[in-house]
């Protein structure tokens, strides 16, 4: 039984584990551009942030021109080649989406990743029939935690906020749901522990997406 008309998912650390690709690309960029190494934990803590925010945290740069150059280098030298091959679905992703679609739910993605990069993984995994709409960073004026992406889903499918559940792994996702006026399920397959969500409005804290269709383990 489904409780919402639409289930909207974050991408990185929610539907997929992209950690290896992201860490690899940042480590190569830092090495090649002469920046000091940064720990894997710091890099992973930026997953889900905008590229400008992540790049600034990891390199220490704040000037927009420098950040724009580094982001371009990250894309054309590294992520275009290494990101998608090192991004993998969590084992629970396909069963969860299949269950929801078979029950008649709308399934969508709202992410700070580019829609084009998300689509590379979705096409490789032949999952197009399981996702009804994709919203990436290029589709919104304001990135999460602004409500723009959720509002696009809401308007496209003529949904009320009460019709939507947003599922994500980070405090940015929790704040996105709150700013959008929709319910939120936290999933702890990312870098944010369950305890961090205690002071954010949430419906449930899930260990992984199987709890969407199997209940608590």
């Amino acid at each position: 039984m489904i409780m919402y008309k639409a289930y909207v998912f974050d991408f990185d650390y929610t539907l997929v584990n992209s950690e290896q690709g992201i860490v690899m690309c940042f480590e190569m960029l830092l090495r090649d551009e002469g920046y000091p190494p940064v720990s894997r934990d710091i890099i992973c803590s930026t997953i889900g942030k905008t590229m400008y925010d992540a790049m600034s945290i990891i390199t220490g740069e704040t000037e927009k021109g420098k950040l724009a150059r580094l982001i371009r280098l990250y894309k054309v030298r590294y992520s275009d080649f290494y990101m998608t091959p090192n991004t993998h679905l969590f084992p629970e992703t396909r069963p969860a989406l299949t269950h929801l679609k078979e029950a008649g739910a709308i399934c969508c993605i709202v992410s700070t990743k580019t829609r084009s990069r998300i689509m590379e993984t979705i096409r490789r995994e032949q999952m197009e029939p399981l996702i009804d709409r994709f919203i990436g960073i290029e589709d919104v004026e304001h990135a999460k935690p602004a409500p723009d992406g959720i509002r696009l889903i809401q308007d496209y499918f003529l949904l009320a906020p009460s019709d939507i559940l947003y599922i994500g792994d980070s405090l940015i996702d929790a704040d996105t749901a709150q700013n959008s006026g929709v319910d939120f399920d936290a999933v702890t397959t990312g870098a944010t522990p369950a305890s961090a969500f205690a002071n954010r409005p949430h419906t449930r804290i899930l260990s992984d997406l199987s709890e969407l269709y199997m209940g608590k383990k």
Side-chain angles (χ1 to χ4, degrees):
M1 185 179 78
I2 61 171
M3 297 177 60
Y4 300 87
K5 292 181 181 179
Y7 290 74
V8 182
F9 297 84
D10 174 51
F11 189 65
D12 292 319
Y13 271 158
T14 300
L15 294 176
V16 303
N17 189 343
S18 52
E19 179 180 308
Q20 185 57 41
I22 291 170
V23 170
M24 179 187 303
C25 291
F26 271 116
E27 286 180 341
M28 288 189 290
L29 175 71
L30 293 172
R31 180 196 66 207
D32 294 348
E33 292 301 302
Y35 289 92
V38 170
S39 75
R40 188 183 188 94
D41 285 348
I42 290 175
I43 295 173
C44 291
S45 74
T46 69
I47 294 175
K49 298 182 184 294
T50 66
M51 273 301 296
Y52 273 93
D53 288 344
M55 190 66 72
S56 182
I57 290 166
I58 290 168
T59 64
E61 300 288 0
T62 57
E63 198 275 313
K64 288 185 177 180
K66 286 184 179 179
L67 289 170
R69 174 183 172 275
L70 289 169
I71 290 168
R72 181 180 178 278
L73 291 177
Y74 177 95
K75 179 181 186 301
V76 300
R77 281 187 188 169
Y78 314 110
S79 68
D80 281 352
F81 300 98
Y82 302 111
M83 185 62 64
T84 299
N86 289 281
T87 296
H88 306 287
L89 298 180
F90 286 116
E92 304 82 16
T93 295
R94 192 185 301 272
L97 291 172
T98 299
H99 170 81
L100 292 171
K101 290 302 298 174
E102 289 178 348
I106 296 165
C107 293
C108 303
I109 293 172
V110 171
S111 173
T112 53
K113 209 178 194 79
T114 62
R115 174 171 31 86
S116 57
R117 188 72 74 207
I118 293 167
M119 287 301 299
E120 290 176 1
T121 297
I122 297 300
R123 291 191 183 107
R124 184 193 67 199
E125 299 293 337
Q126 299 180 326
M127 290 180 60
E128 295 98 320
L130 298 179
I131 305 294
D132 296 289
R133 193 158 178 83
F134 305 83
I135 304 295
I137 190 66
E138 67 266 57
D139 298 312
V140 296
E141 183 177 356
H142 303 103
K144 296 188 301 181
D148 297 31
I150 302 289
R151 296 276 167 80
L152 287 173
I153 299 297
Q154 184 181 332
D155 293 346
Y156 185 82
F157 292 102
L158 302 178
L159 299 168
S162 59
D163 293 329
I164 299 171
L165 177 69
Y166 188 53
I167 303 104
D169 68 280
S170 71
L171 296 181
I172 290 173
D173 295 321
D175 291 342
T176 300
Q178 186 173 8
N179 293 338
S180 304
V182 305
D183 285 348
F184 177 68
D185 272 4
V187 64
T188 56
T189 44
T192 306
S195 59
F197 295 105
N199 294 323
R200 297 294 205 285
H202 61 272
T203 304
R204 295 176 296 176
I205 298 176
L206 313 177
S207 61
D208 60 57
L209 293 180
S210 70
E211 293 181 19
L212 283 175
Y213 59 96
M214 293 178 62
K216 284 286 183 182
K217 296 177 180 176

